[in-house]
Amino acid sequence: MSITPGYKDIATPTRTREIIEKYGFSLKKSLGQNFLTDINILHNIIEASELTKDKAAIEIGPGIGALTEQLCRAAGKVMAIEIDQRLLPILEDTLSPYDNVKVVHGDVLKLNVPQLIQENLGGYEHVSLVANLPYYITTPILMGILEARLPLDHIVVMIQKEVADRIAAKPGSKDYGSLSVAAQFYAETEIAMIVPATVFVPKPNVDSAVIKLTIRKKPPVEVADEDLFFRVLRAAFGQRRKTLLNNLVTNFFGKDQKEKALISLEKAGIDPSRRGETLTIEEFGRLANEINCING
Ligand code: SAM
């Protein structure tokens, strides 16, 4: 990995403290501000992201720039979106050695990210999202980005370990739920590493993990109506103690139409006594397609 000579890494406890003190910056818990201070973890994140100089990166929440500077060294261009205005002058200072970064001020959940990609990273065929996400909005950020079908290669993000476990969970495990199926519909998922709380300033109250999502070119199962597919997921996992059959009857057919629910399960090759948490993504897809057919 290329290291720019003459510059100290931001991601050390000493340099992080120096920068915070220099600007009299007070970290905001409400914005999920836990800064990374371990250069080895950052190198591992960069390696997992498979970035090269002909690729671009999007970062959500650059903070004081610890990960951003590593991204600037690894990628051709970096776009970093930061909500906290107080960090803008700090980033201008810490990232001054790099001319391939664009910091955008705003709330990632409100900005038009596809348009920003077009404006700032338009010339790049390969773009990945690499970030240490603000934990209070991990799921809306990830699901928003996946559902928007942004033209990304990989998403490599530090998140709460508990959420990473749910995203990567396999059928039948306790962590398997609608988030697992939804994420796996769009991407191949892999936990790249588990990260201890001690490498952040301040230490978060939860364990963390880096998850790598490799965006699929097409979903693992073809569904006729995506919206219905996601409604079937929500219904199947909504009341976990009920059988799938009862959840389907309640959500899609009505009590007097149990027969229709049974037929759709049978046609999809699924035993009606099974619970939602045992179904594979392919089975959910087949089931949604049968419900679509039978309900017209
Ligand atoms: N990347 C830095 C690092 O690794 O040290 C900081 C990561 S910190 C966990 C999360 C960052 O996300 C903070 O800088 C915070 O201000 C920013 N942030 C929080 N909510 C945001 C939002 N809605 N949109 C964009 N940035 C946000």
Side-chain angles (χ1 to χ4, degrees), residues 36-234:
L36 258 170
T37 61
D38 187 313
I39 195 69
N40 292 322
I41 303 241
L42 287 173
H43 285 169
N44 289 338
I45 292 175
I46 298 291
E47 202 177 314
S49 70
E50 300 178 31
L51 284 168
T52 48
K53 281 288 172 189
D54 58 348
K55 299 180 182 175
I58 305 172
E59 184 186 9
I60 296 169
I64 57 171
L67 172 59
T68 326
E69 74 170 352
Q70 304 300 325
L71 291 170
C72 289
R73 292 173 188 170
K77 180 93 194 271
V78 180
M79 174 173 77
I81 301 171
E82 175 56 61
I83 197 172
D84 190 344
Q85 187 147 24
R86 302 171 307 150
L87 287 166
L88 302 190
I90 304 182
L91 286 164
E92 207 165 306
D93 178 10
T94 58
L95 299 176
S96 61
Y98 308 97
D99 61 5
N100 59 341
V101 58
K102 167 82 182 168
V103 177
V104 176
H105 177 225
D107 178 345
V108 70
L109 297 178
K110 298 193 179 137
L111 290 169
N112 183 339
V113 181
Q115 191 185 324
L116 287 170
I117 295 179
Q118 190 57 37
E119 281 168 16
N120 296 298
L121 309 174
Y124 287 86
E125 203 181 316
H126 297 282
V127 182
S128 289
L129 167 67
V130 187
N132 170 18
L133 289 182
Y135 291 179
Y136 73 105
I137 42 171
T138 303
T139 309
I141 291 179
L142 285 179
M143 286 318 299
I145 289 202
L146 289 169
E147 282 166 11
R149 292 232 156 95
L150 295 185
L152 300 176
D153 288 350
H154 300 287
I155 297 178
V156 179
V157 283
M158 177 89 72
I159 58 177
Q160 306 90 309
K161 180 177 174 296
E162 171 254 324
V163 181
D165 286 338
R166 287 201 279 133
I167 288 176
K170 296 287 172 244
S173 66
K174 73 171 186 355
D175 293 321
Y176 190 63
S178 53
L179 182 62
S180 326
V181 187
Q184 291 168 34
F185 182 74
Y186 294 111
E188 285 172 39
T189 62
E190 173 198 340
I191 294 183
M193 72 186 121
I194 310 292
V195 179
T198 47
V199 301
F200 299 90
V201 169
K203 274 197 278 182
N205 298 326
V206 292
D207 286 332
S208 300
V210 174
I211 191 149
K212 176 172 180 174
L213 308 183
T214 302
I215 306 299
R216 298 180 192 275
K217 300 267 179 286
K218 62 182 188 74
V221 55
E222 239 177 79
V223 292
D225 179 343
E226 253 179 49
D227 185 54
L228 175 65
F229 172 74
F230 286 104
R231 281 192 286 130
V232 171
L233 288 188
R234 281 195 293 274

